[in-house]
Amino acid sequence: MPIADAVARAEEGLGEQRGRTLLVLQDKVDALNRLCADRPAGADGEVYALASALVDMSGFMEIPPFYAAAYSLCDAAHRMAAADAWSWPEVQVHARALSLILANDCQGGEAVDQMLAGLRAVAEQAVHPG
Amino acid sequence: MSKTPDKINLAHSTVLLVDDQPTSLDLLSSIVQGFGVREQLKCPSAKDAVELVQRRSVDLILIDCAMPEMDGYDFVRWLRREASEPIRFTPVIMILGHAARALVAKGRDCGASFIVAKPLTPAVLLKRIIWLGGETRQFVEVENYVGPDRRVRNYGPPPGEEGRRQTDLSGELGEAVEANMDQDDIDMLLKPMKVAL
């Protein structure tokens, strides 16, 4: 099989699963929002697992804004837990951004770029306050 | 010098996919199916994968790094050190979601053949599979490491591939790019000569 055909077939297969995957991502983001509302103690592992799952799934799809936001949350959760400096507001701002990006069908744009830059700043601030 | 092939035939290959996220497993499966792989085996955990590879051989393993209980790193470490031959030599591509630098190094040091970071495209994954088909690295077994030779940089990019660095040279001998030195020149380089100090 020509390489180009193999790649095209694989991309087509991924495209067929886009809708179903977005629904699963929405379920995970909803779970993240519930955690942010309840703010249970010792949930850092659960947040990281959710963020990691979002990165895992969105990493197969052509949805760069969602992937970037999920990755930022993963990074922030990882670093906050390692530094013993957990902060729910930082998680919440990521959860809101993920919800907004999904509501916008994961489209990019200047506003989304600014939001992602804000998330990166928040993630950095979470570990290096001041 | 050999070039990257423009065709691939995976119709007779068996690929093991390991990921604890069912959706990710399905997405990976659709990619591999698109590549024309005849037989896919799917495992939702590394522990299941351990059990499976002890029963039957596979040609390639694609495994997610982050999994509960036994993660992808532990699996590859087990495969390289404790599995029987020839299973322990099975090529493994690790798929990394949260690709912190330390995690990439961890993947390299546990014995993975390649590490592919997300976002993952079918083109990149297929290229790594093709690279594995032309694999020339030695399998190293020393006290603190078992797996493919990690000194990839010494060998340069795979034959037919352009390197990312200007100084990258392929490990395969290609056509000469400059004239051979003649013997007089070589002798002049090596001959002891009096010098004025």
Side-chain angles (χ1 to χ4, degrees), chain A residues 1-3 6-7 9-11 13-14 17 20-21 24 28 48 52-53 55-57 59-62 67 71 74-75 78, chain B residues 5-8 21 23-24 26-28 30-31 33-36 64 66 97-100 118-123 126 130:
Chain A
M1 181 190 307
I3 301 288
V7 171
R9 280 166 44 123
E11 286 172 347
L14 284 179
Q17 298 198 54
R20 193 169 68 85
T21 305
V24 178
K28 299 279 184 194
Y48 183 80
S52 181
V55 168
D56 273 351
M57 286 183 276
F60 285 107
M61 313 298 293
E62 284 284 325
Y67 177 84
Y71 190 94
C74 215
D75 212 29
H78 178 70
Chain B
D6 55 6
K7 288 188 178 179
I8 189 166
Q21 298 287 335
T23 303
S24 295
D26 287 346
L27 292 167
L28 192 56
S30 66
I31 292 176
Q33 189 176 344
F35 292 165
D64 185 45
H98 180 217
K118 288 178 179 167
L120 179 150
T121 65
L126 186 56
I130 292 168

Side-chain angles (χ1 to χ4, degrees), chain B residues 93-111:
Chain B
I93 296 178
M94 298 192 81
I95 299 173
L96 192 51
H98 180 217
R101 190 177 180 84
L103 296 178
V104 174
K106 189 176 173 185
R108 180 200 61 187
D109 294 342
C110 73

Side-chain angles (χ1 to χ4, degrees), chain A:
Chain A
M1 181 190 307
I3 301 288
D5 288 2
V7 171
R9 280 166 44 123
E11 286 172 347
E12 190 181 329
L14 284 179
E16 286 168 4
Q17 298 198 54
R18 189 178 194 274
R20 193 169 68 85
T21 305
L22 289 179
L23 288 177
V24 178
L25 291 176
Q26 184 69 64
D27 281 349
K28 299 279 184 194
V29 172
D30 290 345
L32 188 62
N33 277 312
R34 283 196 295 275
L35 275 177
C36 289
D38 297 342
R39 298 190 175 189
D44 51 340
E46 198 174 350
V47 169
Y48 183 80
L50 276 171
S52 181
L54 293 174
V55 168
D56 273 351
M57 286 183 276
S58 61
F60 285 107
M61 313 298 293
E62 284 284 325
I63 46 175
F66 187 93
Y67 177 84
Y71 190 94
S72 176
L73 174 59
C74 215
D75 212 29
H78 178 70
R79 294 198 292 168
M80 287 192 298
D84 199 17
W86 191 257
S87 167
W88 278 107
E90 276 75 0
V91 180
Q92 193 154 25
V93 76
H94 280 87
R96 281 185 189 148
L98 288 163
S99 298
L100 282 171
I101 292 169
L102 270 179
N104 197 33
D105 198 30
C106 300
Q107 300 297 311
E110 197 176 328
V112 173
D113 288 345
Q114 286 176 358
M115 185 165 64
L116 293 174
L119 291 183
R120 282 191 290 273
V122 164
E124 186 67 24
Q125 178 73 13
V127 185
H128 304 291

Side-chain angles (χ1 to χ4, degrees), chain B residues 90-149:
Chain B
T90 307
V92 180
I93 296 178
M94 298 192 81
I95 299 173
L96 192 51
H98 180 217
R101 190 177 180 84
L103 296 178
V104 174
K106 189 176 173 185
R108 180 200 61 187
D109 294 342
C110 73
S113 308
F114 284 116
I115 299 162
V116 179
K118 288 178 179 167
L120 179 150
T121 65
V124 166
L125 183 59
L126 186 56
K127 185 171 269 191
R128 299 305 179 277
I129 292 173
I130 292 168
W131 286 4
L132 284 171
E135 181 75 284
T136 55
R137 282 182 287 170
Q138 297 282 322
F139 193 86
V140 176
E141 295 188 60
V142 292
E143 189 181 348
N144 58 2
Y145 177 74
V146 181
D149 193 335

